[in-house]
Amino acid sequence: QQQQQQQEQDMSALEREALDQQKKDNEDEPPAKKSKQQFIPEDLFLQSRKGNVVVSCEVGVDDESTGLKSGHTFTVTLPYSATVKALKDLIKEEIDIVASKQKLAIGTTVLANTKSLGFYNVTSETKIIVTLKTRGKK
C-alpha cells in the first residue's frame, strides 16, 4: 500500500508536462469554454499506476425510499483500468442500489459508465460522490 501511495505521489514529468499544456490551451479559451477539471491523459496516467486502487465513496443524498443517508462513506477496491460501470457494480453490493440508478461524480464532473477510472485520474485520495439519477416527473 505504501508503494501504491508513493506511485501516486510521484507524478512523472510527462504527466506534469501534459497538465501544463492543458492549462496553456485553456488560457486561450473564453471562461465559458474552460473545462471544469483538469485530467492527465489516460494513457500517461495509467503508465505510472499498476494494480488496484482503493476508491473512497460518499453518499451525497438522503433518500427515504432506499434508506440512503448523506455522508455515509465506504471504500471499494478495483484496478485503475476498470470502468465506471464496474465501480457502480461494486457500489451496488455496498449500498444495494442498482447501477442504472446511480450517478457518480468527482467534484462537478459526472462520470460516464464507459470511461475508466484512469480516464478520470482516480487515486486513493479521490472522493467519489454517489447520488441517485433523477427522472423527470409528469
Side-chain angles (χ1 to χ4, degrees):
Q1 192 173 21
Q2 287 177 338
Q3 182 183 11
Q4 182 179 1
Q5 289 173 345
Q6 185 62 39
Q7 285 178 341
E8 291 172 3
Q9 290 173 356
D10 294 336
M11 184 182 286
S12 72
L14 289 174
E15 291 172 331
R16 282 193 290 279
E17 187 177 309
L19 276 179
D20 290 343
Q21 185 59 47
Q22 282 180 345
K23 288 177 186 174
K24 286 177 187 174
D25 292 346
N26 277 346
E27 287 172 359
D28 298 334
E29 295 181 28
K33 295 281 183 178
K34 288 186 181 180
S35 64
K36 297 174 187 172
Q37 198 156 349
Q38 297 291 327
F39 293 115
I40 298 165
E42 180 179 17
D43 56 342
L44 291 177
F45 181 82
L46 292 175
Q47 279 178 4
S48 62
R49 289 163 180 86
K50 305 292 183 226
N52 293 333
V53 61
V54 177
V55 181
S56 175
C57 301
E58 180 178 327
V59 175
V61 63
D62 285 324
D63 186 72
E64 290 179 19
S65 66
T66 61
L68 285 180
K69 295 289 183 197
S70 182
H72 172 70
T73 60
F74 56 93
T75 59
V76 293
T77 303
L78 64 171
Y80 284 100
S81 58
T83 62
V84 171
K85 174 67 168 81
L87 173 60
K88 286 182 172 185
D89 290 340
L90 287 176
I91 290 171
K92 183 211 178 291
E93 293 175 19
E94 189 71 34
I95 62 173
D96 201 32
I97 303 295
V98 294
S100 62
K101 294 193 184 237
Q102 297 173 27
K103 180 171 137 183
L104 306 184
I106 300 172
T108 58
T109 303
V110 176
L111 309 186
N113 286 342
T114 57
K115 301 288 185 189
S116 76
L117 300 181
F119 178 85
Y120 293 108
N121 299 177
V122 172
T123 66
S124 58
E125 285 82 36
T126 305
K127 181 166 289 198
I128 295 182
I129 305 299
V130 181
T131 59
L132 298 177
K133 286 186 178 178
T134 54
R135 302 281 185 224
K137 295 180 180 179
K138 293 183 180 181

